[in-house]
Amino acid sequence: MKIKKLGLVAVALAAASALALSGCATDSGSGDGSTTGSTGSSTAIITTNGSEPQNPLLPANTTETGGGKITTSIFAGLVSYTADGAIENEVAKSIESDDATNWTVTLNDGWKFTNGEPVDAASFVDAWKYAALFSNAQSASYFFDNIVGFSYDADTELTGLKIVDDKTFTVELAAPEADWPLRLGYTAYMPIPKAGLADMEAFGQNPIGNGPYKLASDKAWVHEEKIDLITNPDYKGVRTPANGGLTIIFYPTLEAAYADAQGGNLDVLDGVPDSAFQTFETDFPERNANQAAAIFQAFNIPEYIAHFSGEEGQLRRHAISMSINRDEITDVIFQGTRTPATDYTSPVINGWTDKLKGADVLAYNPEEAKKVWAEADKISPFEGEFTIAYNSDGGHQAWVEAVTNSIANTLGITAAGKPYPTFAAMLDDRKNQTLTGGVRAGWQGDYPSMYNFLAPLYQTGAGSNYEGYTSPEFDGLLKEGSNAKTIEDATAKYQAAQEVLLSDLATVPLWYSNVVGVWSDQVDNVVFGWDSVPLYSQITKK
Amino acid sequence: MLWYTGRRILQMIPVFFGATFLIYFMVFSLPGDPIAALYGDRPPAPGVIEQVRAQYNLDKPFIVQYLLYIGGLFQGDFGTTYSGRPVSDVMAQAFPITLRLATLALFFEAVFGIIVGLVAGLRKGKWFDASALVVSLLLISVPTFVIGFVLQFVFGIQLGWARTTVSSAAPYSELVLPAIVLASVSFAYIVRLTRASVADNLNADFVRTATAKGLSRRRVVSVHVLRNSLVPVVTFLGVDLGALMVGAIVTEGIFNINGVGGTVYRAVILGEGPTVVSFVAIMVIIFVVANLLVDLLYALLDPRIRYAK
């Protein structure tokens, strides 16, 4: 019967209007301004941009960035990430294993949730069991698929998790994984208090965490508008806030957020609209960042497209890749806010390299491209048009046109973008394998590990491997890498696996997205993390 | 008159069901699986999508989905968005803001549009008329988002007279600038409509008669010319109220206003049937009521128009 409320609101409007019109413009969003000294205020509220979380704020059901930046602020997991993607212990005292399969996690003393409950072994084990259970339908449930007892299609218990005592639990993995602790700063692995597990619906609207921040009140999340976070006095970890809290304002477009930053209504903005690529450095002198982020962008050419299978297909893929002038496109279209790709990961990931065997296909080489294309034509002449599909609601048109122009001009064929109105429409053709050409693809790392950039996208049958790429050689190397006992061995295998990808070129790497951010002259110490999110706890207000 | 009004209100029922059914069918027919698209490049485990689809009845045939939705409607349940929020909450949040914005815009375009149009019509061919025509032509030809960005830049960022975007409370004082942007195009039409109408009526027989009777110029203009000239303008305003509520997408985006336009746009992109249909249903009601008011106003403005029975 909410409709009655609507009617009441409408009736009340007439009265309210007179009051509001005569009242003065109140400036509600600009912090408390309690101090003006140069040392910075430890109570000031930092305002920053965000977007409405797609789901209730359950840690394992938050896989998009809008909700992600909130959950990482209000929860503390076993570890957290430094700016360059290394892990630091938070609730964990130690995470140890002799064989990379059986792990023992010991927790620090004295941690508690904001409702007073202690953070103990059960807080993690119960939360992970909840997240992994099939019928709970958590979007990040697959993050637990390497723990013994996991099932993709039935309710089973994670028998690999065992509570030893209040401060200790053990994890048995289905297969060894040397860099398993690297995952544990991801939101899916956050602890949940008993009160939360008892009523997940209420918890999702008003989560009880143990992180550096907490919700300012039970009405702090104003849907589609903002969320107010304040510091959590009980927080014991490495991210102790140097400010009094965060107000994350949800913007549907970066344009509006950028205007607010220019107008002094927003302290920190972790993106810049295309229209400001050229001006953000002069609009925010000395107060901007432009650095590579954990975002990989590419386009896929499915095997099932005519002329793109077998030896002919491989030649054509190489020719197409070499006919793209990545340096020029990142410079002209993106004004230097993208970094041309040299592998399948990202420069912020440990193990990234520009020395892979076969990486020369990523360099612009029109002569070689023409030669290779002609060789393919000898096998079977190419007719028709080469297209790259993209969803036109995502701002991809400019670069798709630039890339297809580059291909057309170099190879002397017709090439064009193929727009789909929405991502959903494009996804249908990808899943049904009814594309008629290439298709744009992208990946943002969940946690700073090479494995996370390779397995979900190119492994046979993997969740995001929509175009159905399959290579036994790649699968084998990936498995060897994840089973390696040391991270060094793993890295070598993952790099070898990428050389297979470069040779097959089912996915043509384009560039890494940069995180481009600006901030007002009211704040200091703005540093962007490996995941493109500012390290909010370090930001100080003047 | 009462009979006429009652009949018009009864007409709303088939209009309501017809519109909701059509809209629901159109959203249902959008290509692609909305739940799969929610997760983007990062799909959840197989099985999770099916469970979520079942949760929103998306696994059922169209007619069942629609009937379930209508059934819920009669129990006061407008359904939920794919993020799990009750649609009624979303409406209670979005409609008051947009209604405030649209009312303010309607106020601006009606008051200033009619005044400028009246003066221009009375002084046809003079400098005021000429400049009014040029300005209205400019407003019609420049896209709304250009006007929006320019005003935001000048008054928000450069001069600092207004907030660059509207805060979440969205009081009238902050909505003035977006309302002016929103009103700009319709303002231009109203100026032209009023001007032409006034210029026309000035030469009409009844005005000549009124003047010949010795009525003051003021009375002739306000009662005889303006009143008769307002019939087409009021028609336009009635239709425009609906247009303002939907057409605010651009303006709401620029000023980060969380209103009806943007919500419906997002819901269409996401394929959220219940959200789109619930919003559209309310819009249909607003449209129909606005048109009814316009028709009733006719009778007041022009005594020759009376509704029989």
Side-chain angles (χ1 to χ4, degrees), chain A residues 160-362:
Chain A
L161 294 178
K162 289 207 174 64
I163 298 176
V164 177
D165 60 46
D166 263 6
K167 293 280 169 281
T168 319
F169 67 97
T170 59
V171 183
E172 187 190 353
L173 300 182
E177 189 178 334
D179 61 359
W180 184 72
L182 258 187
R183 293 168 166 247
L184 300 176
Y186 185 58
T187 49
Y189 299 99
M190 296 297 148
I192 297 178
K194 288 192 172 58
L197 287 162
D199 185 355
M200 285 301 263
E201 200 167 318
F203 182 75
Q205 293 303 316
N206 188 20
I208 305 155
N210 62 332
Y213 297 98
K214 60 177 182 178
L215 270 64
S217 72
D218 56 359
K219 302 255 186 307
W221 182 6
V222 187
H223 286 276
E224 312 275 354
E225 283 174 8
K226 62 168 183 173
I227 188 162
D228 288 314
L229 306 180
I230 54 170
T231 50
N232 171 11
D234 294 331
Y235 175 71
K236 296 231 179 293
V238 290
R239 294 181 287 156
T240 306
N243 47 56
L246 299 175
T247 292
I248 301 176
I249 304 168
F250 307 144
Y251 292 93
T253 65
L254 275 176
E255 273 84 3
Y258 193 78
D260 260 1
Q262 280 185 299
N265 290 330
L266 189 71
D267 292 329
V268 182
L269 173 60
D270 63 3
V272 161
D274 301 1
S275 56
F277 277 170
Q278 227 164 349
T279 55
F280 74 91
E281 279 161 330
T282 44
D283 287 346
F284 294 88
E286 310 284 306
R287 289 181 280 118
N288 63 75
N290 181 8
Q291 65 200 47
I295 303 171
F296 169 81
Q297 289 177 325
F299 65 92
N300 299 345
I301 310 174
E303 279 272 323
Y304 57 81
I305 303 296
H307 298 287
F308 282 94
S309 55
E311 192 197 339
E312 182 201 354
Q314 195 175 18
L315 289 170
R316 293 202 191 280
R317 291 161 200 278
H318 282 242
I320 282 175
S321 179
M322 284 186 289
S323 64
I324 302 166
N325 193 340
R326 293 171 178 77
D327 291 317
E328 192 181 279
I329 294 170
T330 50
D331 225 41
V332 174
I333 306 279
F334 294 116
Q335 301 287 331
T337 61
R338 300 287 189 281
T339 308
T342 59
D343 77 344
Y344 285 82
T345 63
S346 157
V348 294
I349 302 300
N350 203 351
W352 167 86
T353 173
D354 55 1
K355 308 253 176 329
L356 291 179
K357 197 174 81 203
D360 49 337
V361 297
L362 304 180

